Amino acid sequence: MPDQTDKQTFSDDEALEFHRVPTPGKISMAPTKPMATQRDLSLAYSPGVAVPVLAIAEDVDRAYDYTAKGNMVAVISNGTAILGLGNLGHMASKPVMEGKSVLFKRFADVDSFDVEVKTTDPDEFVTVVKNIGDTWGGINLEDIKSPECFEIETQLQDLLDIPVFHDDQHGTAIISTAGLINACHIAGKRLDEVKVVLVGAGAAGLSSIGLMKAAGVKAENTVILDRDGVVYKGRPNVDQWKAAHATDTPHRTLEEAMVGADVVLGLAAKGAITKEMVASMAPNPIIFAMANPDPEITPEDVMSVRSDAIIATGRSDYPNQVNNVLGFPYIFRGALDVRARQVNHEMKVACAQALAALAREDVPDEVAAAYRGRKLKFGPDYIIPSPFDPRLIWYIPPFVAQAAMDTGVARKPIADMDAYRAQLRERVDPSAALMQKISSAVRGAPNKRVVFAEGEEASVIRAAWQFKQAELGTPILIGREDLVRQNAAEAGLNFDELGIEIHNARVSHKNTQYVDFLFGKLQRRGWLRRDVQRMVNQDRNYFAAAMLAHGDADCMVTGVTRNFNMAMREVGRVLDVRGTLIGLSIVLAKGRTLFVADTTVHELPDAEELADIAVQAADTVRRLGRSPRVAFMSYSTFGNPPGDRGEKVREAIRILDRRGVDFEYEGEMPPELALDPEQRANYPFMRLSKDANVLIMPAVHSASISTKLVQALGGATVIGPLLVGLEKSVQIVSLGASVSEIITAATFAAYEEGVIEEG
């Protein structure tokens, strides 16, 4: 087995075990239709399957409508150039092809299937793929050696009416071009002026230099080198692929070409670039040393001679990794969604430019979590987005799809790009559809002033910035202005551009008014005026809640720096309860949205409180645009087995019967009865017309444990708990909440306040 890099963080045995256990390989098939009944079987196979067969026979394009073709990509290789390991045979490439399939699914929800072709003859390879190519919506070629890969891709694209994309070429080209755009931006260089040297005229190198020219680099400013030196015009024994990039240049060696160069692209081998060469480059040199596992020159060696350099490599243990996973999933996502006939230059350039633009935006907390808390910000060490940026799925494909539409290769144009972006969010984030609806409602309602109580925290500042940028309302930050602005500047944010308000509780002209108000509420509950003065001066939750009570703000978000109960207790001393105070969690799993209450407030509610919780939860769910169907959860089913907690639930049902509420409810029952219509068939008296969507838990511990358990097991997204029932809308996030969680809470706060006012 070949030696691995000394920075490897796992052993060879661990890698083998990973691929062997619990099931050999990395992929499996999952059906998209149920096979639970005889009717299901009849529809899926004989005789029902004959209907789509005949429809496709009449019009082959209907395969996109009735089969998985439209979301299916083949990952095909003959194993002649596996990673950096060489020609090891078609079956040795299978782990890599399976890995590619996993990445397609994980990052862009594209289904894929690996195909290993047992031939090294390009014509035979083309014949095989041509004859089976119509099976898929696109083909990703992988690990095929140069120059055969060029001819194979060209022939297959001519022969097939679907995208054919050789990722070793174009994936590297797209990511490196995105990096070059941003590196030039940071270094103060123009694409049409930089002098670029390519070391390694293989598939990835030639494709990269080609795409960079398409993006703006001038052909006369490029020099490419292979094993025999500079590829200059008139050099003998040069194949057509290299000859297309040959230039009139006096340079014959890499040492000569590097003198005064702005950019060097390394796609060759370890040690191909020396310190002396780097030292001879122009000011602020851009060095992409992308050979794997060992770059042409290490970043440490570059920095020892050029502190002004911007460096990228192909490795994940250095900044600015040129990682193809940033490209191929999203290129195919966009291409499949418009049923593109090919992936052309314009689509690749659009992808590169979109990646470059995304890297210049504020980096989400999810990315920092993936990098063990390391905070990333656009600059010399962050010119390419992280593969873990959750925005990639909805940010990149629309640019690719639009380019396909603009260049006439799309067979199914997208009419509404905003709706398409929302659809893309839903593919990897089940909460996206709900949040899209809530956000749209907030934008369409009168502007809400949202207080972010912990305004000095970096995450809160970034959340307020993004909240304002998204036009969701006017943020108000509570904190010392100098510290807020300092932390904002460190995050690269300029508040003066947006007009975000900052209030210092201690020096506010409202201070006395708020103290008088709060002392009036607490003076007969054991509080002295000086205690209240200290609370308003020093505790931002009291000050922020007082702003709401006086109409100086509309709603509030807190909780980042203290636990839920403490924050709720402080806010509750200022604001009164309107109705019943509950915590409502939203669980999104397997296409189902469930609302769970009460997850925060009532520890062991009695029957009256359970009824009140159900009314408040149903009212909130109705405001969120859903018809509530309430099920009271219990270990027992309609009295069997009997018990005290079950009796409290039964009494809650009787209370609702007497009140004559206007929503469906039933209980007591276990979850499977609430959520499975076949289970309910045994209880014909049940009043639920469909599956329940509001689950009332018998105690706070069962509510909290159940929601956290499904979240911990994976496969479910939990929003909240949302705090419902105060006279003004306040949301309390979890301790140390991420930027996205804070924004979600602020959006719900603005939405809830708007709904209350309208009501």
Side-chain angles (χ1 to χ4, degrees):
M1 184 170 293
D3 292 336
Q4 303 295 320
T5 172
D6 57 7
K7 286 205 172 187
Q8 183 172 295
T9 58
F10 53 83
S11 68
D12 290 352
D13 286 342
E14 286 176 309
L16 292 173
E17 189 75 355
F18 177 86
H19 284 79
R20 187 179 66 84
V21 176
T23 302
K26 297 190 286 284
I27 59 174
S28 65
M29 186 184 77
T32 61
K33 301 294 189 293
M35 288 292 115
T37 66
Q38 179 63 37
R39 183 174 184 274
D40 293 338
L41 188 59
S42 297
L43 286 168
Y45 202 57
S46 181
V49 74
V51 180
V53 166
L54 294 172
I56 295 169
E58 183 179 318
D59 179 0
V60 294
D61 278 349
R62 289 182 179 174
Y64 285 100
D65 301 318
Y66 303 129
T67 76
K69 175 183 172 82
N71 195 51
M72 181 72 73
V73 168
V75 183
I76 306 181
S77 179
N78 63 1
T80 52
I82 303 174
L83 304 175
L85 305 173
N87 183 356
L88 299 179
H90 69 294
M91 285 310 296
S93 74
K94 191 171 180 66
V96 182
M97 303 308 109
E98 284 190 356
K100 206 79 168 188
S101 294
V102 170
L103 298 178
F104 265 118
K105 189 65 177 179
R106 161 63 177 83
F107 289 103
D109 194 29
V110 172
D111 295 319
S112 62
F113 193 84
D114 64 293
V115 178
E116 292 75 37
V117 181
K118 186 181 179 181
T119 182
T120 59
D121 179 82
D123 292 334
E124 189 175 359
F125 186 96
V126 167
T127 299
V128 170
V129 177
K130 175 193 71 174
N131 288 330
I132 61 175
D134 285 345
T135 301
W136 301 284
I139 291 174
N140 185 101
L141 299 174
E142 190 81 16
D143 289 356
I144 302 170
K145 73 183 181 72
S146 174
E148 288 91 334
C149 61
F150 299 118
E151 184 60 36
I152 287 172
E153 183 190 36
T154 301
Q155 286 193 48
L156 286 174
Q157 189 60 84
D158 289 342
L159 292 166
L160 296 171
D161 200 29
I162 58 174
V164 179
F165 182 88
H166 184 212
D167 186 51
D168 298 310
Q169 292 182 57
H170 309 303
T172 302
I174 289 166
I175 315 310
S176 59
T177 299
L180 179 63
I181 291 169
N182 279 342
C184 287
H185 178 84
I186 294 167
K189 300 174 186 279
R190 289 168 52 100
L191 274 178
D192 60 356
E193 294 178 352
V194 292
K195 296 179 180 179
V196 181
V197 176
L198 168 64
V199 187
L206 294 178
S207 184
S208 295
I209 203 72
L211 192 62
M212 288 174 182
K213 290 178 184 177
V217 173
K218 289 186 175 179
E220 60 266 28
N221 290 340
T222 65
V223 177
I224 70 171
L225 296 98
D226 61 11
R227 290 185 179 88
D228 299 320
V230 173
V231 179
Y232 55 88
K233 283 193 174 179
R235 198 185 96 175
N237 301 320
V238 175
D239 65 47
Q240 59 176 315
W241 314 105
K242 295 177 186 177
H245 297 285
T247 54
D248 284 321
T249 175
H251 303 315
R252 295 296 180 266
T253 66
L254 179 56
E255 289 83 357
E256 294 172 358
M258 289 278 282
V259 176
D262 296 288
V263 182
V264 60
L265 306 176
L267 284 153
K270 177 181 179 180
I273 299 172
T274 66
K275 292 182 182 181
E276 291 74 20
M277 295 176 190
V278 171
S280 72
M281 294 179 71
N284 302 314
I286 298 167
I287 299 161
F288 288 6
M290 297 179 281
N292 256 324
D294 297 301
E296 289 78 3
I297 184 170
T298 66
E300 292 88 348
D301 283 346
V302 171
M303 297 307 293
S304 71
V305 293
R306 295 301 296 263
S307 61
D308 59 342
I310 297 174
I311 310 163
T313 71
R315 287 173 53 150
S316 61
D317 49 0
Y318 289 117
N320 299 325
Q321 183 189 17
V322 178
N323 190 333
N324 286 13
V325 77
L326 288 164
F328 68 85
Y330 311 110
I331 278 276
F332 273 101
R333 181 73 276 155
L336 290 171
D337 291 338
V338 294
R339 297 184 187 173
R341 290 185 167 88
Q342 60 179 259
V343 174
N344 58 27
H345 253 329
E346 291 81 0
M347 295 163 72
K348 298 169 199 169
V349 171
C351 185
Q353 291 173 336
L355 286 167
L358 183 60
R360 294 194 291 269
E361 297 193 3
D362 188 37
V363 183
D365 283 356
E366 290 88 342
V367 176
Y371 289 89
R372 299 181 181 178
R374 181 163 62 95
K375 179 60 185 163
L376 302 171
K377 185 173 75 170
F378 179 65
D381 288 339
Y382 191 79
I383 60 173
I384 302 169
S386 162
F388 299 101
D389 192 320
R391 299 169 298 182
L392 285 161
I393 179 61
W394 59 262
Y395 194 101
I396 307 301
F399 288 95
V400 176
Q402 188 65 56
M405 292 157 56
D406 292 343
T407 54
V409 299
R411 283 175 287 196
K412 185 186 176 185
I414 294 170
D416 187 340
M417 275 294 173
D418 288 336
Y420 177 50
R421 290 186 183 92
Q423 180 190 62
L424 290 170
R425 284 176 184 262
E426 291 180 57
R427 282 190 172 273
V428 294
D429 179 7
S431 68
L434 176 64
M435 289 310 303
Q436 180 74 18
K437 177 182 177 180
I438 300 301
S439 298
S440 296
V442 169
R443 290 190 190 96
N447 181 71
K448 293 292 179 290
R449 298 160 297 165
V450 182
V451 179
F452 293 78
E454 296 141 314
E456 294 174 358
E457 297 299 309
S459 59
V460 175
I461 292 169
R462 290 170 52 220
W465 171 272
Q466 292 183 31
F467 188 82
K468 178 70 171 180
Q469 288 276 47
E471 300 179 344
L472 292 167
T474 299
I476 300 171
L477 294 172
I478 308 301
R480 291 162 289 184
E481 184 166 354
D482 56 343
L483 186 55
V484 172
R485 291 189 176 277
Q486 176 186 327
N487 290 340
E490 290 178 359
L493 307 177
N494 182 359
F495 278 8
D496 294 331
E497 295 177 358
L498 292 182
I500 294 176
E501 297 179 31
I502 304 172
H503 290 248
N504 186 335
R506 185 180 291 275
V507 300
S508 171
H509 68 280
K510 295 277 189 174
N511 189 288
T512 301
Q513 182 182 359
Y514 293 168
V515 170
D516 290 344
F517 163 75
L518 188 54
F519 182 56
K521 295 195 71 170
L522 300 180
Q523 60 189 357
R524 293 184 179 276
R525 291 162 57 184
W527 299 88
L528 301 176
R529 183 180 178 84
R530 65 171 179 264
D531 299 327
V532 174
Q533 179 73 68
R534 185 169 57 251
M535 289 155 57
V536 172
N537 280 351
Q538 299 179 4
D539 194 306
R540 290 156 196 168
N541 280 338
Y542 289 108
F543 185 86
M547 290 185 73
L548 269 58
H550 284 77
D552 297 325
D554 298 303
C555 42
M556 169 183 168
V557 178
T558 187
V560 175
T561 61
R562 60 192 65 194
N563 66 49
F564 186 97
N565 288 335
M566 181 180 294
M568 188 170 68
R569 185 166 58 249
E570 292 166 349
V571 171
R573 287 173 180 148
V574 183
L575 300 173
D576 294 331
V577 173
R578 176 175 176 167
T580 302
L581 188 65
I582 67 169
L584 183 69
S585 294
I586 305 175
V587 179
L588 303 110
K590 296 184 178 180
R592 194 194 294 259
T593 302
L594 297 175
F595 302 86
V596 182
D598 166 29
T599 49
T600 54
V601 180
H602 297 85
E603 184 176 2
L604 288 171
D606 59 25
E608 192 77 31
E609 288 171 329
L610 283 171
D612 291 341
I613 291 168
V615 170
Q616 183 69 279
D619 184 47
T620 304
V621 169
R622 189 177 281 122
R623 291 185 210 153
L624 291 172
R626 306 295 178 96
S627 296
R629 294 183 298 277
V630 176
F632 287 81
M633 295 292 95
S634 176
Y635 63 91
S636 62
T637 305
F638 301 116
N640 183 27
D644 290 343
R645 295 307 300 173
E647 178 53 39
K648 285 185 172 61
V649 174
R650 289 190 289 279
E651 178 58 25
I653 296 293
R654 292 190 285 269
I655 291 171
L656 291 181
D657 290 342
R658 292 194 294 271
R659 292 184 185 180
V661 296
D662 60 349
F663 56 86
E664 294 182 21
Y665 59 93
E666 188 58 281
E668 82 281 17
M669 67 183 76
E672 64 269 22
L673 197 56
L675 303 176
D676 185 349
E678 292 189 9
Q679 295 273 352
R680 292 198 297 278
N682 295 320
Y683 302 90
F685 56 85
M686 283 189 67
R687 293 176 283 193
L688 295 180
S689 61
K690 298 179 183 177
D691 292 352
N693 58 4
V694 182
L695 307 183
I696 307 301
M697 296 295 181
V700 72
H701 58 266
S702 56
S704 179
I705 291 170
S706 61
T707 53
K708 290 177 180 177
L709 179 62
V710 296
Q711 190 172 26
L713 289 174
T717 297
V718 178
I719 298 175
L722 307 176
L723 189 63
V724 180
L726 286 172
E727 61 174 310
K728 303 292 285 186
S729 181
V730 177
Q731 292 304 327
I732 303 174
V733 299
S734 59
L735 195 67
S738 69
V739 170
S740 61
E741 289 169 334
I742 299 168
I743 294 171
T744 295
T747 306
F748 269 104
Y751 181 83
E752 179 73 3
E753 189 62 26
V755 170
I756 289 174
E757 287 186 0
E758 290 171 11

